[in-house]
Structure formats: C-alpha cells, structure tokens
Amino acid sequence: MKNLLAIVMMFMFVPLMSGARTIGLGGKATLTDVKMLDVTGVRVSLDDVAGDNGLLVLFSSNTCPFVLQWEGRYSDIKDFADKNKVGMIVLNSNHQSRNSVDSYAEMKKHAEEKGYNFYYAVDEDSRIANEYGGQTTPHAFLFDKNMQLVYKGAIDDNYKSADEVKQSWLKDAIASVGSGSGVKVAETRPLGCSIKRKTD
C-alpha cells in the first residue's frame, strides 16, 4: 500500500517548471498557426482544428496512470464537443520521453489501440505546453469562439470511475461555450502526471 501511495504521489500535480509561461483566464490563445504532426501523418495547427464556438486543447500522454483511467472518456468528450461546435486536439508534450514511451510510433500505436477519434499530435519541444502552462497529463484548456481561455483544469472530479462523476467540469464548460453562456466553474486543479517538458 505504501509503495502504491508513493507511486501516485510521484505522478501527481507538480508546480510549473521555471521559465514556463501560463495563459490566464480570458487570455488569448497563442502559437495557433504552429503545425504539429498528428498520428494520421498530417500536420495540423490549432487554427485548423478550432470549431465555430471554440477549441479544446487537452495535454495527454501514452502511459500516465491518470490518463489511462480518464482516456476512456476522451471519445465521448470529442462527440460532445462536436455537438457544441468546439474543435478538439490532444497534444503529447512529453519531450523527455520522445525516444521511448511517448515516441511518435508509440503514439500511433496507442491511438489505434484505444480507438482515438480525434487529433493526437506531437507538441514538438513542448512549445504549446510551455506557452500555455500545461502542467499535467491530462490538463484541459478550453477556448471560446474568440480563442480566449474560459476553462482550464481537470476533466471531471473522478478519474477512477466515469459512473461516479459528480462534477463534469469540462463538459459543463463546453456546453456553456456552445450556448454562448458564461462558464460557471472556470478553473480547477489539474491532476495527473507531470509533463516531461523541454526546459531549455
């Protein structure tokens, strides 16, 4: 039990590394024209993916225990985002793991095994994560139709079980963006593995 607790604590939220920026609520999305390699082999930018009502940028990875628990909900979030005319892209920013568990080849394999129905792209040199202040995998950043940040944080309040979720923060925010109303809960604490970012 102690070993399990130690592993969980190792993977949990850690502060941003020095030098990393962060976008505050109401801040404008940047680097939106940077082309990134998707697992399908095409290069896409945030501008390419954005929908009429906004864009969801979700930082993720291949092996983080929290991602493995939450990612079963990714496809449902994508469908929900589509209904609300919000684009969605999932980014792998783990630069330090690029030659191992988060290589492009492993990303392609993971996306195929999990049936990903959304863009899953390489954030080269952790540029987007460093610019936006992505902290963990997963970590959600939702922008409205003006590409202003209206929500950042966790997907919901229960990574262990979708059936026991009581607060669907991300989907609630997407619904608000889709209807043009204000987001009630605009920021929550991200929970997950630290992004293995490029820092120099």
Side-chain angles (χ1 to χ4, degrees):
M1 184 66 182
K2 290 183 178 179
N3 289 338
L4 178 60
L5 180 61
I7 292 172
V8 170
M9 291 300 292
M10 176 180 68
F11 281 119
M12 283 180 65
F13 165 82
V14 295
L16 283 172
M17 297 187 70
S18 61
R21 297 180 57 187
T22 183
I23 295 181
L25 292 170
K28 194 88 169 178
T30 53
L31 301 180
T32 59
D33 60 345
V34 173
K35 295 287 187 178
M36 295 172 283
L37 184 61
D38 178 63
V39 292
T40 60
V42 302
R43 286 190 172 272
V44 295
S45 68
L46 302 186
D47 284 334
D48 294 331
V49 180
D52 291 341
N53 289 327
L55 172 68
L56 168 61
V57 177
L58 183 63
F59 294 100
S60 192
S61 59
N62 292 335
T63 61
C64 171
F66 291 90
V67 169
L68 297 180
Q69 293 274 6
W70 253 312
E71 70 180 337
R73 287 163 247 186
Y74 285 10
S75 292
D76 180 55
I77 291 170
K78 171 63 165 61
D79 292 340
F80 191 75
D82 285 346
K83 291 178 182 178
N84 285 278
K85 298 182 179 180
V86 172
M88 174 175 168
I89 187 168
V90 176
L91 299 181
N92 188 315
S93 306
N94 279 349
H95 174 82
Q96 296 178 37
S97 304
R98 197 64 73 209
N99 293 323
S100 56
V101 295
D102 287 299
S103 68
Y104 180 65
E106 288 298 318
M107 286 175 60
K108 290 177 64 176
K109 179 181 177 182
H110 188 79
E112 183 175 352
E113 289 177 348
K114 300 299 182 179
Y116 279 9
N117 63 342
F118 41 80
Y119 290 109
Y120 184 35
V122 177
D123 176 19
E124 295 178 13
D125 297 332
S126 311
R127 287 186 69 190
I128 307 299
N130 285 340
E131 182 77 5
Y132 287 19
Q135 299 176 29
T136 59
T137 59
H139 194 178
F141 287 70
L142 180 65
F143 298 88
D144 65 13
K145 63 182 179 181
N146 298 315
M147 293 300 280
Q148 292 180 303
L149 186 65
V150 294
Y151 175 79
K152 64 177 178 177
I155 292 171
D156 54 49
D157 67 351
N158 196 321
Y159 71 91
K160 293 181 180 179
S161 173
D163 294 332
E164 296 181 27
V165 170
K166 295 180 180 178
Q167 299 290 330
S168 299
W169 297 307
L170 179 56
K171 290 182 76 173
D172 288 347
I174 292 172
S176 295
V177 166
S179 64
S181 58
V183 175
K184 292 182 179 179
V185 179
E187 184 170 5
T188 59
R189 181 176 182 268
L191 179 67
C193 308
S194 63
I195 292 177
K196 311 304 184 288
R197 62 194 343 115
K198 183 175 182 179
T199 57
D200 53 13

